[in-house]
């Protein structure tokens, strides 16, 4: 996978990079409409981000799916490249969330080292975790490691629970205390991913030094704040 990633780092692009990792639950309980809506939402995100003048040259995306195992569905690459060949998802198996977080940590570390080696500046990475249940593997150690990094402000880390069976108690231990886990309103994946595109557009429109000044939009269209424990 690292060789593929090297082939997909455009060292001629002068824009600072914004790495985005999507950690997506594709376990059996996501079958039917949820997995279809997720797939459509991801495709929309890739298309709309690719169509933005600034985000298209800065955003690099990796998609990690987890069920019985965690695997890289889309290796790190420019968002325009991911949009040209969007992934499809199949729901089955259990929820290897701990393995997914550990994989994301390794992949992100490798990507940022590649930026540094090639003199490429970068924004704070974004990690989006979406799950409709709770982990079925050993998750505490990898989760604690990533959470601690996020709580120092070095990651933008968003945890989203899908449906009434999402384990928000465990999610609260996985993601940073602020804002904590958020419940998706129904199956409004498209609304969430549009918010994500708009957020990345705002971040990439400014300099790396000014990224904390980026204005992120309201989450009312997709977040069920009243339903989050």
């Amino acid at each position: 996978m690292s060789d593929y990633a090297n082939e997909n780092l455009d060292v001629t692009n002068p824009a600072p990079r914004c790495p985005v990792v999507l950690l997506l639950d594709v376990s059996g309980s996501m079958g039917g409409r949820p997995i279809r809506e997720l797939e459509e939402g991801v495709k929309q995100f890739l298309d709309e981000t690719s169509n933005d003048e600034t985000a298209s040259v800065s955003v690099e995306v990796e998609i990690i799916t987890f069920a019985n195992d965690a695997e890289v569905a889309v290796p790190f690459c420019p968002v325009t490249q991911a949009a040209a060949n969007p992934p499809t998802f199949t729901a089955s198996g259990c929820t290897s969330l701990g393995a997914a977080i550990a994989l994301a940590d390794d992949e992100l570390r490798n990507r940022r080292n590649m930026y540094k080696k090639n003199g490429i500046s970068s924004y704070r990475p974004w990690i989006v975790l979406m799950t409709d249940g709770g982990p079925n593997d050993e998750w505490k150690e990898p989760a604690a490691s990533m959470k601690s990094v996020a709580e120092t402000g070095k990651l933008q880390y968003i945890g989203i629970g899908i449906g009434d069976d999402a384990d928000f108690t465990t999610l609260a231990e996985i993601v940073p205390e602020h804002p904590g886990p958020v419940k998706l309103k129904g199956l409004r994946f498209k609304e969430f991913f549009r918010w994500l595109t708009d957020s990345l557009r705002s971040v990439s429109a400014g300099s790396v030094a000014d990224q904390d000044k980026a204005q992120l939009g309201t989450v009312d269209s997709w977040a069920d704040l009243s339903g989050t424990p």
Side-chain angles (χ1 to χ4, degrees):
M1 198 61 68
S2 59
D3 289 343
Y4 191 100
N6 274 295
E7 292 172 3
N8 287 281
L9 179 65
D10 181 2
V11 297
T12 67
N13 177 6
R17 309 305 160 82
C18 184
V20 178
V21 181
L22 305 182
L23 293 176
L24 306 179
D25 186 344
V26 295
S27 60
S29 55
M30 285 287 292
R33 187 181 169 207
I35 200 75
R36 292 195 303 271
E37 295 282 353
L38 173 62
E39 187 175 296
E40 291 175 10
V42 169
K43 184 179 186 302
Q44 171 196 287
F45 164 68
L46 297 174
D47 287 342
E48 293 185 350
T49 307
S50 296
N51 288 333
D52 182 77
E53 182 178 359
T54 55
S56 64
V57 295
S58 287
V59 173
E60 296 193 334
V61 64
E62 174 159 291
I63 299 175
I64 293 175
T65 56
F66 56 97
N68 287 336
D69 299 297
E71 61 179 36
V72 177
V74 176
F76 264 121
C77 63
V79 67
T80 51
Q81 183 173 325
N85 188 25
T88 58
F89 304 131
T90 300
S92 66
C94 58
T95 311
S96 298
L97 180 50
I101 294 172
L103 180 57
D105 187 45
D106 287 343
E107 290 284 310
L108 184 57
R109 193 186 312 274
N110 289 339
R111 194 65 173 181
R112 298 193 80 189
N113 284 339
M114 289 173 63
Y115 295 157
K116 185 176 181 180
K117 179 180 178 181
N118 288 280
I120 297 172
S121 62
S122 61
Y123 299 98
R124 181 186 302 112
W126 286 61
I127 294 179
V128 175
L129 167 62
M130 308 187 88
T131 181
D132 72 338
N136 299 127
D137 62 352
E138 295 296 326
W139 59 271
K140 289 193 175 183
E141 186 174 340
S145 176
M146 185 168 286
K147 180 179 180 179
S148 66
V149 173
E151 289 184 336
T152 65
K154 294 179 181 179
L155 289 175
Q156 186 75 35
Y157 190 6
I158 303 168
I160 298 174
I162 304 162
D164 294 334
D165 293 330
D167 185 350
F168 284 97
T169 300
T170 299
L171 266 179
E173 296 185 55
I174 291 173
V175 299
E177 182 178 356
H178 299 291
V182 179
K183 185 176 183 180
L184 188 68
K185 188 181 292 183
L187 294 176
R188 297 191 180 183
F189 290 103
K190 290 181 179 178
E191 287 82 354
F192 165 74
F193 281 112
R194 179 155 291 126
W195 174 88
L196 182 60
T197 293
D198 290 344
S199 298
L200 294 171
R201 179 185 294 124
S202 180
V203 169
S204 59
S207 67
V208 172
D210 290 336
Q211 62 185 305
D212 288 333
K213 298 178 183 178
Q215 297 295 312
L216 306 185
T218 176
V219 302
D220 292 348
S221 65
W222 60 269
D224 182 4
L225 299 177
S226 65
T228 305

